[in-house]
């Protein structure tokens, strides 16, 4: 059983939970995830570890309410418990000093991107972060990303915040103005596809 210590609504459907998990907090790396169950007969849901605090022994999870099981997790409040939190799992993201790294995230994809941004910065890279969403209300973790980025560029489909346009436009503008050594992208599959096509065009 893992106690929920904090809860914050990023939007109507997206919730941030800070959960007690000291052993996971100690050993997790950028790119790792956990398997979570809300209750005894709940579905097993994979969630990326968005952040961790080794001193407090906590991990941060960002959950999008898309169905019954994720809805149960989103409905939990501070003081209540997750039945299971298993991890860290998966293969950690390879981190090294590449030079200039563009990290771009769409919607809730920003949650798994945050630890990569942090690790890339700590490895000595120049980090430019491009955050994208349909509208201003769906941009998450901007302040936390800014803490470890040399620059943050915001792209919204409707122009309600930052620059009007798609994430690929934000990425390409950076590529055209300076040398970029690596691009990391996490978000909807269609977004990642077009970011990959953009980088392929520029041989990055």
């Amino acid at each position: 059983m893992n106690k929920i210590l904090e809860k914050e609504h990023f939007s109507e459907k997206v919730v941030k939970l800070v959960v007690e998990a000291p052993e996971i907090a100690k050993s997790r790396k950028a790119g790792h995830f956990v398997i979570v169950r809300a209750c005894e007969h709940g579905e097993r849901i994979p969630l990326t570890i968005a952040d961790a605090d080794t001193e407090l022994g906590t991990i941060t999870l960002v959950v999008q309410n898309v169905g019954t099981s994720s809805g149960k997790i989103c409905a939990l409040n501070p003081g209540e418990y997750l039945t299971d939190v298993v991890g860290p799992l998966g293969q950690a993201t390879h981190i090294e000093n590449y030079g200039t790294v563009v990290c771009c995230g769409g919607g809730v994809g920003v949650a798994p991107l945050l630890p990569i941004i942090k690790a890339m910065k700590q490895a000595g890279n120049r980090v430019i972060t491009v955050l994208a969403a349909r509208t201003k209300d769906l941009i998450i973790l901007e302040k936390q990303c800014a803490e470890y980025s040399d620059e943050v560029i915001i792209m919204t489909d409707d122009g309600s915040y930052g620059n009007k346009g798609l994430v690929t436009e934000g990425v390409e503008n950076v590529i055209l103005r300076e040398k970029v050594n690596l691009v990391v992208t996490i978000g909807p599959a269609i977004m990642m596809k077009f970011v990959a096509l953009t980088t392929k065009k520029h041989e990055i």
Side-chain angles (χ1 to χ4, degrees):
M1 299 282 274
N2 297 75
K3 191 177 187 178
I4 294 166
L5 302 179
E6 291 175 40
K7 179 180 184 179
E8 181 186 342
H9 282 271
F10 285 147
S11 67
E12 189 192 343
K13 295 270 189 188
V14 181
V15 170
K16 179 183 100 171
L17 299 175
V18 177
V19 180
E20 248 180 4
E23 294 305 315
I24 297 173
K26 262 194 297 199
S27 55
R28 72 97 209 194
K29 289 187 169 71
H32 279 150
F33 68 97
V34 288
I35 295 282
V36 176
R37 279 197 313 162
C39 55
E40 195 58 47
H41 301 290
E43 188 184 358
R44 298 164 78 243
I45 299 211
L47 295 169
T48 303
I49 304 166
D51 205 359
D53 189 317
T54 49
E55 284 180 29
L56 296 175
T58 62
I59 59 170
T60 300
L61 305 174
V62 176
V63 193
Q64 186 171 25
N65 184 348
V66 291
T68 307
S69 299
S70 56
K72 282 178 184 171
I73 295 169
C74 288
L76 292 168
N77 289 306
E80 295 184 302
Y81 291 83
L82 289 163
T83 300
D84 292 317
V85 179
V86 178
L89 302 168
Q91 189 165 340
T93 305
H94 179 74
I95 304 291
E96 64 176 83
N97 190 335
Y98 295 95
T100 296
V101 179
V102 174
C103 294
C104 56
V108 288
V110 178
L113 190 68
L114 175 60
I116 296 170
I117 292 168
K118 189 173 177 180
M120 287 293 184
K121 188 67 200 159
Q122 288 168 342
N125 292 285
R126 169 169 160 75
V127 178
I128 299 164
T129 298
V130 182
L131 303 180
R134 288 195 310 276
T135 181
K136 179 182 180 176
D137 296 341
L138 299 176
I139 295 284
I140 65 167
L141 297 166
E142 181 189 352
K143 197 174 86 183
Q144 292 88 334
C145 290
E147 204 178 322
Y148 301 101
S149 304
D150 293 278
E151 182 185 355
V152 176
I153 296 164
I154 307 286
M155 304 297 297
T156 50
D157 293 0
D158 64 0
S160 57
Y161 188 45
N163 306 292
K164 186 179 195 304
L166 301 173
V167 68
T168 45
E169 295 171 65
V171 171
E172 191 150 40
N173 286 342
V174 177
I175 292 168
L176 292 173
R177 76 173 196 215
E178 63 185 278
K179 180 169 172 53
V180 172
N181 303 93
L182 181 78
V183 176
V184 179
T185 180
I186 305 178
I190 191 76
M191 181 200 109
M192 294 192 290
K193 174 187 172 181
F194 282 105
V195 170
L197 289 171
T198 302
T199 57
K200 187 178 180 183
K201 184 172 77 176
H202 295 281
E203 299 182 334
I204 298 170

